[in-house]
Amino acid sequence: GPYCTQMLGDHGAEIIKIEPPRGDETRDWGPPFHDEDSAYFLGVNRNKRSMGLDLSKPDGQAVLLRLLEKADVVIENFRPDVMQRLGIDYDTLAEINPRLIMLSISGFGANNTDSRRAAYAPIIHAETGLVARQAEVTGAFPAELPLSVADTNAAMHGLIGLLAVLYARQQSGRGDHVE
């Protein structure tokens, strides 16, 4: 989600990033820090505005729904059960805005035995064998990769699907859900 919206923002899209009221945890990933936010957070969230909302509360959901009435796209990267549990799944949002496109990016897909597992890039790197391969090639102890292959690949493929659906919407006038 963060890299996908970063690329959209870099190309001129207006991005409103919804964070929990306490803020995005990546604000604390550092050093280095600049004005109290980590360099990582600032880099991946450039060209975005942030808003803190508690989506588990009716007031937070109401603000989100007002924002989405006129939005073109919503991108989420929760586990597949979270949006439905919160009552803000695609079917609900499409009733409010039939032109809305939702992109859902999850670590393990939506309909399998692993789909409810939380996934961060290091987990994907390890389970796909990238960490083991890196150790084999370098002769070093297995360690996390110096860049996030999983995040950037998921972002690129998500963006390609999103752009295809944006194009299709020009013909149909209706939004869709991309997973």
Side-chain angles (χ1 to χ4, degrees), residues 4 64 84-86 130-131 163:
C4 186
L64 178 68
Q84 185 171 8
R85 188 168 17 97
L86 291 172
L130 287 172
V131 171
L163 294 174

Side-chain angles (χ1 to χ4, degrees), residues 1-11 13 15 44 48 73-77 103 105 151-163:
Y3 285 112
C4 186
T5 53
Q6 172 193 314
M7 289 183 282
L8 287 168
D10 287 349
H11 288 91
I15 307 293
V44 79
K48 300 177 191 178
V73 173
V74 61
I75 298 174
E76 61 91 9
N77 65 337
L103 170 61
I105 302 173
D151 288 342
T152 53
N153 276 312
M156 290 298 291
H157 289 284
L159 183 58
I160 290 166
L162 173 65
L163 294 174

Side-chain angles (χ1 to χ4, degrees), residues 33-164:
F33 292 98
H34 178 73
D35 291 334
E36 299 187 23
D37 285 327
S38 71
Y40 171 84
F41 176 85
L42 293 172
V44 79
N45 289 296
R46 64 180 180 258
N47 299 317
K48 300 177 191 178
R49 293 184 291 157
S50 293
M51 174 184 286
L53 291 178
D54 186 344
L55 296 178
S56 69
K57 305 273 193 251
D59 289 348
Q61 290 179 10
V63 171
L64 178 68
L65 295 178
R66 282 195 304 275
L67 286 171
L68 294 178
E69 286 175 359
K70 297 192 189 297
D72 287 307
V73 173
V74 61
I75 298 174
E76 61 91 9
N77 65 337
F78 293 115
R79 290 183 314 278
D81 60 326
V82 171
M83 294 292 277
Q84 185 171 8
R85 188 168 17 97
L86 291 172
I88 50 177
D89 56 303
Y90 179 73
D91 291 337
T92 301
L93 299 178
E95 289 179 20
I96 296 163
N97 179 351
R99 292 182 51 80
L100 185 70
I101 296 168
M102 176 185 274
L103 170 61
S104 296
I105 302 173
S106 62
F108 295 101
N111 297 308
N112 63 69
T113 56
D114 288 326
S115 64
R116 300 302 183 263
R117 290 178 56 203
Y120 287 94
I123 294 169
I124 302 300
H125 294 162
E127 291 197 18
T128 59
L130 287 172
V131 171
R133 178 70 178 141
Q134 177 75 2
E136 180 183 310
V137 168
T138 64
F141 188 78
E144 176 53 355
L145 303 176
L147 64 118
S148 181
V149 174
D151 288 342
T152 53
N153 276 312
M156 290 298 291
H157 289 284
L159 183 58
I160 290 166
L162 173 65
L163 294 174

